[in-house]
Amino acid sequence: MIKGLRKSPVDLLFGTLTAMASFVVVVLIAGIFIALLKESLPAIHRFGILRFITTSEWDPVAEVFGALSTLTGTLVTTFLSLLFAIPIAIGIAIFITEIAPDFLKGPIGTAIELLAAIPSIIYGMWGLFTLAPIMEQYIEPFLQETVGRLPLVGALFQGTPMGIDLFTASLILSIMIIPFTASVARDSFRLTPEIVKESAYGVGATKWEVVKDIVLPYSKLGVFGGVVLSLGRAIGETMAVAFVLGNNHELPHSLFDAAATITVSLANEFTEADTDIYLSSLYYLALVLFVLSFITLAAAKFFLLRAERRQSR
Amino acid sequence: MKRILSVIAFLMAFLFVMAGVSLSSETINGAGATFPYPVYAAWAWQYKKETGIRLNYQSIGSGGGVRQISNRTVDFGASDAPVSPEELEKKRLYQFPAIIGGVVPVVNIRGIRAGKLRLDGSTLCGIFLGRITSWADERIKALNPALRLPDKRITVVHRSDGSGTTAIFTTYLSAVCPEWKKHVGAGKAVRWPAGIGGKGNEGVANYVKRKRYSIGYVEFAYAKQNRLSYVLLKNRAGRFVAPGFKSFQAAAASGDFSPERHFYLWLVDAPGKDAWPISGASFILLAREKKSSNLKTVKFFDWAFRKGDEIAKRLVYVPLPESLKRRIRKYWREKGIY
């Protein structure tokens, strides 16, 4: 930039400080990984790796622990919440950028961003006291009457609706991640060059066609980035889910079964884990989650980078 | 820049002063069980007013309390579950009870008010095992000839998080019901054969209130504050008792708290005539070699035993019976703590 400054001590200090700041993060991640690994060693020795993630037995009294049920819970809630959230979030983003009249854009945008500012414990309490009874009395019986009658898919909606289950938890999660996806999607929609849109309208394209053929293709990478961000949040969300999932370590058969996710088990059981192997198994669960989110996010990043490269070519 | 530096310097100085204050001998640091936290905090407030000594109690959970005192990072640990004498020997700890609590089965059956339904150990066990599935089951009817019980499916509600409440409740079921002991066992978290899980006492209370024909178990204070329909339980003496200060104290007074075993006792199925069968004490743990910090801690609890009963009762906790307090004071003297 400015030649004279290059050797000034302030600049040097600034450079070192920023480098240190970034380095700290890397060291922290490595440190967390090592700590988790060290604490879970007794459980790794006792239960092995493959056996731990393929058995669902979780019996603190008999000191037998397996991660399959919690792992399933984590994956199912994450997947379902993304399934609910992505279409809604993209719809919101399209409405705000392309369709809404100007006076509505501000309030709606702010409302969506406020959703992201609500602490997750509040979602949890709202879920337990308000959403769960509604799910139990109206929505879940209705789903059983309709979707539950279909072949194959119907099996996912069996059992007595309690409102405390995978379905409710996923719904709450999806509400929590909508703002992330929506705001990133909105920002990337805005990046679509006006001139391309104008020319499409000029040759007689309808609003739907402009969104489908111009805006979405232009911004799909950005939207994907938003989805990855939400994925990260959904996979690790704890408090909101802890209230409405029941922490049941049986392998769920239906979306209306109580279940457990890794984070929920940690939050529920960590404080009162009294034996060493119990505590170690909880650390082991945390390690599994650490590796799982690392792999998921790395894979997502990898596809994102590859797609970016392809697009820039 | 200078301004920022001076702010940082000020903050550092502030932190050092704070650290100095909290490390001074005028503070007692404790950590552990969440259940007695409100009463310890209320005692601490009053104690500070009278003596100027601060008690800093972190309710991180019983498991954490045992670990912290084992690692000697606090002046005392607190646990809802008694630590066995062997374990105490290994970790070089002393132990004594400080407050009593009771666990109360609560139900939501239309037309049945608090204190009307009678249950005994084996029916309660059958319900929680998922073997008794209807309120009109013969075994329940036999205990309640006067009640009209609906033929409705029972929904069992238990805790989803690990807790001392669950430990006391499952220890009781294991004590009175061999089937439970064989298939489930006792612990802060167990593999529940039936039912749904609620997070915390408030979670269980909420489900029981909402779900008709359900049964759950909560800490006594919770049942009282939420006006839940508690049940009468048959105790070891064969009498049906209601939960309350009197029946919990009766349990504590008849329990065999022995100083030789560091008061290690699960206060379930106590023999007293009026004893509530599902009670438990919350315990304090001390490091054997830390003489001066033990003295501070024990002085606090001695004060609480003398002056804290009313505070405890106001918060719906059950103070220790006088006979047990005497035994604890003797234990302190014998161990050379106070």
Side-chain angles (χ1 to χ4, degrees):
Chain A
M1 247 179 355
I2 307 165
K3 260 187 187 168
L5 271 183
R6 190 167 281 168
K7 280 171 192 165
S8 91
V10 176
D11 212 36
L12 199 69
L13 184 70
F14 182 66
T16 327
L17 278 178
T18 49
M20 262 165 63
S22 352
F23 193 62
V24 160
V25 175
V26 180
V27 171
L28 268 181
I29 292 181
I32 291 172
F33 180 76
I34 292 168
L36 285 179
L37 190 66
K38 186 176 145 267
E39 295 292 339
S40 47
L41 271 181
I44 296 176
H45 278 304
R46 179 96 149 251
F47 305 116
I49 294 172
L50 205 62
R51 209 175 98 209
F52 189 68
I53 55 175
T54 53
T55 54
S56 64
E57 189 148 349
W58 187 269
D59 189 339
V61 180
E63 299 191 347
V64 181
F65 300 101
L68 185 62
S69 58
T70 44
L71 204 54
T72 316
T74 301
L75 293 175
V76 170
T77 49
T78 306
F79 175 75
L80 271 185
S81 62
L82 288 178
L83 199 67
F84 296 148
I86 292 171
I88 297 175
I90 291 178
I92 291 170
I94 292 174
F95 182 73
I96 292 179
T97 51
E98 304 296 326
I99 298 169
D102 279 343
F103 74 92
L104 265 182
K105 284 181 185 173
I108 295 183
T110 316
I112 303 292
E113 269 153 24
L114 274 181
L115 266 187
I118 299 176
S120 58
I121 181 99
I122 293 179
Y123 279 105
M125 287 163 67
W126 172 77
L128 175 63
F129 290 106
T130 312
L131 184 62
I134 297 175
M135 296 297 289
E136 176 196 350
Q137 278 156 22
Y138 307 107
I139 297 175
E140 289 179 358
F142 170 76
L143 282 175
Q144 282 190 326
E145 286 301 308
T146 51
V147 198
R149 296 268 169 89
L150 298 175
L152 287 176
V153 199
L156 292 175
F157 297 89
Q158 297 313 308
T160 326
M162 294 296 242
I164 304 300
D165 47 36
L166 285 168
F167 192 71
T168 310
S170 309
L171 206 62
I172 287 197
L173 264 186
S174 71
I175 298 172
M176 296 180 69
I177 61 179
I178 279 173
F180 289 90
T181 326
S183 64
V184 176
R186 185 189 60 188
D187 292 345
S188 24
F189 289 169
R190 280 202 184 128
L191 293 179
T192 319
E194 271 316 302
I195 195 150
V196 186
K197 284 199 288 191
E198 296 295 331
S199 9
Y201 284 125
V203 297
T206 61
K207 203 152 244 178
W208 161 245
E209 285 166 339
V210 169
V211 169
K212 177 173 66 104
D213 296 328
I214 314 280
V215 177
L216 282 180
Y218 249 101
S219 49
K220 64 172 187 270
L221 280 182
V223 175
F224 187 68
V227 171
V228 171
L229 204 66
S230 322
L231 177 77
R233 170 122 204 225
I235 220 170
E237 178 49 46
T238 312
M239 263 355 256
V241 187
F243 277 86
V244 293
L245 200 53
N247 198 30
N248 179 354
H249 284 284
E250 298 294 315
L251 210 54
H253 298 293
S254 144
L255 294 181
F256 295 163
D257 277 347
T261 69
I262 294 179
T263 50
V264 166
S265 295
L266 292 177
N268 272 321
E269 298 175 38
F270 204 78
T271 49
E272 298 293 342
D274 38 12
T275 58
D276 290 342
I277 192 73
Y278 191 4
L279 194 67
S280 177
S281 299
L282 286 172
Y283 271 111
Y284 197 1
L285 268 190
L287 185 69
V288 169
L289 180 67
F290 188 95
V291 173
L292 179 73
S293 30
F294 190 81
I295 291 174
T296 332
L297 292 181
K301 218 33 195 252
F302 174 75
F303 285 121
L304 197 63
L305 281 178
R306 215 172 62 169
E308 248 166 28
R309 217 169 288 145
R310 202 178 304 146
Q311 201 174 51
S312 60
R313 227 180 260 152
Chain B
M1 195 67 194
K2 239 179 207 158
R3 189 124 118 241
I4 296 175
L5 279 178
S6 65
V7 167
I8 292 176
F10 174 75
L11 279 176
M12 296 280 270
F14 181 71
L15 280 178
F16 274 120
V17 172
M18 288 298 287
V21 167
S22 63
L23 286 177
S24 80
S25 63
E26 293 307 303
T27 304
I28 310 168
N29 286 301
T34 45
F35 157 66
Y37 169 68
V39 69
Y40 292 170
W43 281 346
W45 189 74
Q46 188 67 27
Y47 192 60
K48 171 97 197 298
K49 260 196 354 197
E50 288 189 15
T51 63
I53 299 171
R54 222 166 69 90
L55 178 102
N56 168 27
Y57 182 74
Q58 297 174 10
S59 57
I60 55 171
S62 301
V66 177
R67 267 195 298 284
Q68 295 256 2
I69 188 66
S70 303
N71 297 333
R72 307 295 198 254
T73 48
V74 286
D75 294 323
F76 71 91
S79 172
D80 282 338
V83 178
S84 71
E86 298 75 40
E87 196 79 13
L88 291 170
E89 210 55 52
K90 214 170 76 194
K91 292 179 170 156
R92 310 293 304 153
L93 299 173
Y94 291 132
Q95 171 176 268
F96 62 88
I99 193 92
I100 305 282
V103 180
V104 180
V106 288
V107 295
N108 175 357
I109 310 169
R110 205 177 224 180
I112 294 185
R113 274 175 297 128
K116 290 292 168 206
L117 186 72
R118 294 163 171 233
L119 292 175
D120 61 8
S122 69
T123 47
L124 197 62
C125 171
I127 291 171
F128 274 85
L129 274 175
R131 300 207 175 141
I132 297 179
T133 54
S134 162
W135 284 113
D137 190 281
E138 288 308 319
R139 283 162 282 188
I140 303 179
K141 270 185 175 166
L143 295 170
N144 299 279
L147 288 182
R148 281 208 7 233
L149 288 158
D151 184 14
K152 296 284 185 184
R153 208 183 151 72
I154 302 175
T155 303
V156 170
V157 185
H158 53 73
R159 289 281 289 267
S160 65
D161 48 341
S163 82
T165 313
T166 301
I168 294 171
F169 187 69
T170 51
T171 304
Y172 168 70
L173 289 181
S174 297
V176 297
C177 174
E179 282 288 284
W180 184 272
K181 195 172 181 179
K182 191 172 141 216
H183 293 291
V184 186
K188 288 173 181 162
V190 300
R191 250 183 105 185
W192 294 97
I196 54 169
K199 184 164 166 47
N201 278 307
E202 65 279 11
V204 172
N206 177 48
Y207 287 166
V208 171
K209 263 189 186 166
R210 227 177 62 209
K211 193 91 196 157
R212 206 164 282 163
Y213 308 115
S214 60
I215 182 168
Y217 60 92
V218 292
E219 217 47 92
F220 174 60
Y222 247 90
K224 202 169 153 138
Q225 280 153 5
N226 287 285
R227 301 218 182 82
L228 298 170
S229 298
Y230 57 84
V231 305
L232 302 183
L233 271 182
K234 193 177 184 178
N235 64 15
R236 204 203 280 187
R239 291 170 44 131
F240 286 95
V241 284
F245 291 117
K246 262 180 56 196
S247 57
F248 296 153
Q249 279 203 327
S254 71
D256 181 25
F257 282 105
S258 124
E260 286 79 49
R261 293 175 56 74
H262 304 280
F263 303 98
Y264 174 79
L265 177 69
W266 288 94
L267 200 52
V268 296
D269 203 22
K273 191 162 64 75
D274 299 311
W276 178 253
I278 327 178
S279 329
S282 200
F283 292 85
I284 299 298
L285 297 161
L286 299 173
R288 290 191 186 175
E289 75 286 352
K290 285 171 82 174
K291 289 237 155 42
S292 69
S293 86
N294 288 351
L295 184 65
K296 280 191 301 184
T297 310
V298 163
K299 265 187 177 160
F300 170 77
F301 282 101
D302 185 46
W303 173 90
F305 286 171
R306 276 185 286 117
K307 300 192 175 173
D309 285 6
E310 280 314 307
I311 297 176
K313 274 187 183 162
R314 250 201 327 273
L315 295 168
V316 208
Y317 285 85
V318 187
L320 302 181
E322 288 304 322
S323 59
L324 184 53
K325 287 180 185 169
R326 273 197 300 278
R327 257 179 282 169
I328 294 170
R329 290 201 176 96
K330 196 167 153 239
Y331 173 79
W332 290 342
R333 272 198 305 280
E334 276 169 8
K335 304 292 177 202
I337 307 172
Y338 185 42

